Amino acid sequence: MDLRKKACPNECCKTHRKKKFNSKVNYCPECGAKLIYVCKAHGCFKPLDEAEPEHSYCNECRTKREDRKENAIDMAKKGAQFAGVVAVPAIKVLKKEAPKIAEQVAQKAVNVAAEVIKKKL
């Protein structure tokens, strides 16, 4: 399945630099000119070689996409490191304080239950 896009090379056509077509369409529906393969990125209409069907992006757009992926991976790694730095001390505190917190909650529950019973009597 060919994922490349085609566009009209005719500068006088309405669709020139405005619309991209599926790779199965060979001629422009507006002017009848033979369509050429162009970059698949939004807003980029740079022509591509027909000899390389595995490439659907021009060199500039391909490098931009790779840079964005690398930046996203780096940000995710930094976020994971930050979460690890915050989570480890929080877990240590919870391990120490959890029995005390549970005891306080249980005492409050008993007090609330005792007050409800007193009100009913």
Side-chain angles (χ1 to χ4, degrees), residues 36-67:
I36 60 170
Y37 286 106
V38 294
C39 181
K40 191 176 178 181
H42 181 72
C44 182
F45 284 88
K46 292 182 183 168
L48 298 175
D49 289 336
E50 291 187 31
E52 300 177 11
E54 66 273 359
H55 298 296
S56 55
Y57 294 98
C58 66
N59 289 333
E60 288 180 32
C61 294
R62 189 177 313 126
T63 55
K64 284 180 188 176
R65 289 172 60 84
E66 290 170 359
D67 289 344

Side-chain angles (χ1 to χ4, degrees), residues 17-88:
R17 298 189 64 78
K18 290 187 176 94
K19 186 170 182 181
K20 294 181 183 178
F21 299 96
N22 193 344
S23 63
K24 294 178 184 177
V25 180
N26 292 323
Y27 295 97
C28 178
E30 289 291 322
C31 67
K34 185 167 170 76
L35 298 177
I36 60 170
Y37 286 106
V38 294
C39 181
K40 191 176 178 181
H42 181 72
C44 182
F45 284 88
K46 292 182 183 168
L48 298 175
D49 289 336
E50 291 187 31
E52 300 177 11
E54 66 273 359
H55 298 296
S56 55
Y57 294 98
C58 66
N59 289 333
E60 288 180 32
C61 294
R62 189 177 313 126
T63 55
K64 284 180 188 176
R65 289 172 60 84
E66 290 170 359
D67 289 344
R68 268 199 312 259
K69 284 181 185 177
E70 289 175 12
N71 287 341
I73 290 171
D74 291 342
M75 292 298 286
K77 286 180 182 177
K78 287 179 184 176
Q81 288 174 350
F82 177 73
V85 168
V86 171
V88 171

Side-chain angles (χ1 to χ4, degrees), residues 86-97:
V86 171
V88 171
I91 291 171
K92 289 180 181 177
V93 169
L94 282 176
K95 283 183 180 178
K96 290 179 184 176
E97 301 295 325

Side-chain angles (χ1 to χ4, degrees), residues 99-120:
K100 294 177 188 176
I101 294 170
E103 185 178 329
Q104 291 173 355
V105 170
Q107 286 177 350
K108 287 182 182 178
V110 169
N111 291 340
V112 169
E115 287 181 23
V116 169
I117 292 172
K118 287 179 187 178
K119 286 182 182 178
K120 286 189 176 184

